[in-house]
Structures are given as C-alpha cells and as structure tokens.
Amino acid sequence: MEGVKHIMQRSENLVSKIEVRGTTRVCGLIGNPVEHTMSPLIHNTLAVRKGIDMVYVPFMVQNDQVSEAIKGAYALNVLGMNVTVPHKSAVISDLVSIDSLAQNIGAVNTLVREGNGFKGYNTDMSGLKRAMASDGILISDSDVIILGAGGAARAVAFLCATEKASSITILNRTLDKAEKIADEVNAVFGKECVKAMALEAYEQLPVKSYLAIQSTSVGLYPHHEEAVIMDVGFYKMVTKGFDLIYKPEETMFMKMVKKAGGQAYNGLKMLLYQGIDAFELWNHVPVDEDDALAVYQLLKENICV
Ligand code: NAP
C-alpha cells in the first residue's frame, strides 16, 4: 500500500508538470488490476522530458469488456494503449493488424493507432531484447536456457528463436508445458530450434557457457531466498543470467549466478524498455540513453519502497 502511495505521489508531481490542453493526446493502460502499474511514471516522465503533448492514464477494464474498451478508446481518439494481464491475448481479435512477433507469441502489450483501428505489438519482448543489448548481451550469439514455461517463458522462447539463438532449451517443473511451447515454436520456424527438459534433468545439459533467462515466478518478493534451481553446479555453466523478476533487486537466482562467477541482471530494464519501445511507436521520436537512464533511476527509486 505504501508503494502504491509513493507511486501516486510521483505521478501527481509529474502530472502537475503536464499541461493538459485541447491538443493533448491520451495514451493509457488497460488491465485488471492496474493499481500497481509503473507505466504512468515511465510515459509521463518521457512526455515531460521530450516535450510531447501527451498524457498517460491507467484504465481498469473488466474481463468481459475488453472489446468495448478497445472500440471506445479508438472512438475517443486515443493515440495508443498498453495492455497488461489478463487481457494480452483477448485484445487480439479486436485489432486491425498485428506485428509478426506478437502474432507468433499470441500476446500483445502495445496498441498503436492506425487509420482504421489499432495495430498490436509485443514490446515486452522487443524491450527484453533491448534491455539485454544495453548490457552487451546478444541472444543471437548465445546458447540459451529458459527456466519456466509460463506466459513470459513462451514469449521469451519465440524471441530467442526469432533472434536465431545458437541453441534454446526450456527447463520446467511441468515437462508437458515446456514440450508444448517447444512444439509450437518449432512448428512456426519449421525446424527443431527449441528443446524441452524437465527441471530436475538439468544435469543432463551439455556442458557449455549458457545465457540463462529466469522466467519462472520463483524468487519474487517476498520469497527472496528461493531460486528454481539451488545447485551451485548448475550455475557454473551460466556465464550470464537474466532474471525477468525485478523485485527484489537482486534475486536468489542472480546471487547464485554471481557466486559461480557469472554476470547477472534483473528484469527492471525489460520493464523500462517495453515502455520506451511503446512510447517511440506512439510518438515517432527516439528516446536517447540520457532519457532512458533518467526513467530507469525513477523506476529504481520506486521499486525500492
Ligand atoms: P506464469 O505464467 O504463472 O508461469 C509461472 C512459471 O513459474 C511456470 O513455468 C511455473 O512452472 C513456474 N513455477 C512457479 N512456481 C514454481 C515452483 N515452486 N517451482 C518450479 N517452478 C515454478 O507466470 P509468467 O506470466 O510467465 O511470469 C513469470 C515471471 O516473469 C513473473 O515473476 C513475472 O513477474 C515476470 N515478468 C516480468 C516482466 C518484466 O517486465 N520484467 C514481464 C513479464 C513477466 P509450472 O509450469 O510447473 O507451474
């Protein structure tokens, strides 16, 4: 609750710097719930810094009213929308077109206004790619291990296949779910680019230097002492570890990677760059490193509360 209050105060300070005029364009977020979102902080900060006549607001949309919300937003001349859980797949049937990565993943988090409706994108994944690149990690050069087979892991698997990772192995507690994702990705790409393994079978992985992308919910605050694999032996193969979780700032997975001598990163930059990619799509202005860093610092301050 304290955290929400803090974010609201930050947002109020920001909004006081935004002059809403007759020309001001509206962007927003639809989801259920939306109270904890940090997207207004990202977009209103960028709007102020870039001098863009835009304001960003959250909209709580009931699960059975997604269609009405999209049509209503278009009728109200809304410039663009972000979409969060649980509506990321439900919005697809209301779009006029969809980017190919988002289509493959089957989830959309950004809507961009076009002549006759909204086009859908998945900036969660373009944002992950950009976050990694900002830390010098190129998926295309990497042997990738994806831990988990939920919604986020599925998207990560499509991103890694799109980026032509050297190899992709999904490890999950429930093997069936990992196999289903591998089958889907392999069907789209017409070759066996993704392998599935049960989590406990990690000892059978070929010995290599891996990029491990932690895509389970294990280790999320307040469970900071948990990681999906606790064996140091596994982490000796992980040269770079990227945890999609950003709260706590340093997860147990990251601690284990570092302890074994690797480099580890959390998911806050992914959150940052999914927002920046959406902002750029809506406003057709590039966001430079200074602006990105300023927003990143604000996000860090708010995560720490
Ligand atoms: P999800 O669909 O609920 O999937 C959860 C995954 O975690 C499944 O693979 C599940 O395995 C695994 N898991 C859960 N508890 C486990 C346990 N005790 N032992 C082993 N595996 C366990 O969640 P999601 O939407 O994919 O999200 C995953 C994480 O990514 C979340 O923490 C979320 O916060 C984070 N995320 C971050 C960003 C960002 O911007 N940084 C964006 C999206 C998501 P089973 O299949 O066996 O149940």
Side-chain angles (χ1 to χ4, degrees):
M1 204 56 212
E2 265 306 295
V4 174
K5 228 191 292 172
H6 198 90
I7 294 171
M8 280 172 64
Q9 278 165 2
R10 292 257 175 211
S11 300
E12 278 163 20
N13 292 344
L14 264 172
V15 169
S16 67
K17 291 186 193 157
I18 295 176
E19 196 189 331
V20 178
R21 297 177 278 243
T23 51
T24 304
R25 298 304 300 270
V26 176
C27 288
L29 167 75
I30 62 167
N32 181 11
V34 292
E35 285 79 7
H36 287 82
T37 180
M38 298 216 286
S39 290
L41 191 61
I42 298 175
H43 292 286
N44 290 323
T45 301
L46 288 174
V48 169
R49 286 184 70 93
K50 305 295 292 181
I52 303 274
D53 189 11
M54 168 197 137
V55 67
Y56 183 100
V57 282
F59 298 106
M60 199 285 287
V61 172
Q62 297 291 354
N63 299 7
D64 60 352
Q65 290 194 312
V66 173
S67 254
E68 286 87 342
I70 304 290
K71 287 190 188 81
Y74 195 77
L76 289 168
N77 199 29
V78 165
L79 178 63
M81 304 284 279
N82 281 141
V83 183
T84 190
V85 283
H87 304 325
K88 288 186 184 187
S89 298
V91 293
I92 292 176
S93 54
D94 291 296
L95 303 176
V96 288
S97 62
I98 183 165
D99 169 74
S100 61
L101 178 62
Q103 169 98 63
N104 285 338
I105 295 168
V108 158
N109 80 314
T110 298
L111 310 185
V112 177
R113 187 181 188 85
E114 295 205 331
N116 52 348
F118 288 108
K119 177 172 180 180
Y121 294 83
N122 191 305
T123 71
D124 284 331
M125 285 307 110
S126 60
L128 172 60
K129 180 182 159 187
R130 203 163 157 183
M132 286 184 165
S134 80
D135 286 315
I137 304 172
L138 287 183
I139 293 170
S140 55
D141 292 342
S142 305
D143 288 295
V144 180
I145 294 170
I146 299 170
L147 296 171
R154 187 174 185 282
V156 171
F158 273 104
L159 174 69
C160 292
T162 305
E163 292 300 307
K164 299 187 173 63
S166 306
S167 68
I168 307 164
T169 310
I170 303 177
L171 264 62
N172 194 46
R173 176 178 64 177
T174 311
L175 177 60
D176 286 3
K177 284 166 75 178
E179 285 175 339
K180 187 165 181 286
I181 295 174
D183 289 347
E184 284 171 356
V185 178
N186 294 340
V188 167
F189 288 84
K191 58 180 178 180
E192 208 197 314
C193 46
V194 181
K195 287 192 170 58
M197 284 173 75
L199 189 62
E200 65 272 15
Y202 65 84
E203 287 174 353
Q204 292 163 23
L205 282 164
V207 178
K208 287 185 188 173
S209 291
Y210 288 100
L211 162 64
I213 305 177
Q214 200 306 108
S215 313
T216 77
S217 44
V218 181
L220 193 59
Y221 177 85
H223 304 286
H224 59 276
E225 290 185 349
E226 296 173 12
V228 74
I229 296 174
M230 291 296 282
D231 175 2
V232 183
F234 168 73
Y235 293 93
K236 286 186 179 149
M237 296 193 290
V238 178
T239 326
K240 304 212 185 238
F242 196 102
D243 200 330
L244 299 197
I245 292 173
Y246 49 78
K247 192 173 179 180
E249 194 173 355
E250 185 170 72
T251 62
M252 180 54 77
F253 166 81
M254 291 168 65
K255 285 188 178 136
M256 302 281 293
V257 171
K258 286 183 182 173
K259 201 171 157 195
Q263 291 170 302
Y265 308 87
N266 70 25
L268 194 60
K269 277 196 181 170
M270 173 181 170
L271 178 72
L272 169 74
Y273 281 110
Q274 64 74 32
I276 288 177
D277 277 3
F279 187 89
E280 289 179 343
L281 282 166
W282 297 329
N283 296 300
H284 309 287
V285 288
V287 173
D288 62 28
E289 283 308 301
D290 281 353
D291 291 323
L293 193 63
V295 178
Y296 185 59
Q297 289 304 341
L298 271 179
L299 288 174
K300 269 175 106 166
E301 285 167 26
N302 282 281
I303 290 298
C304 291
V305 288

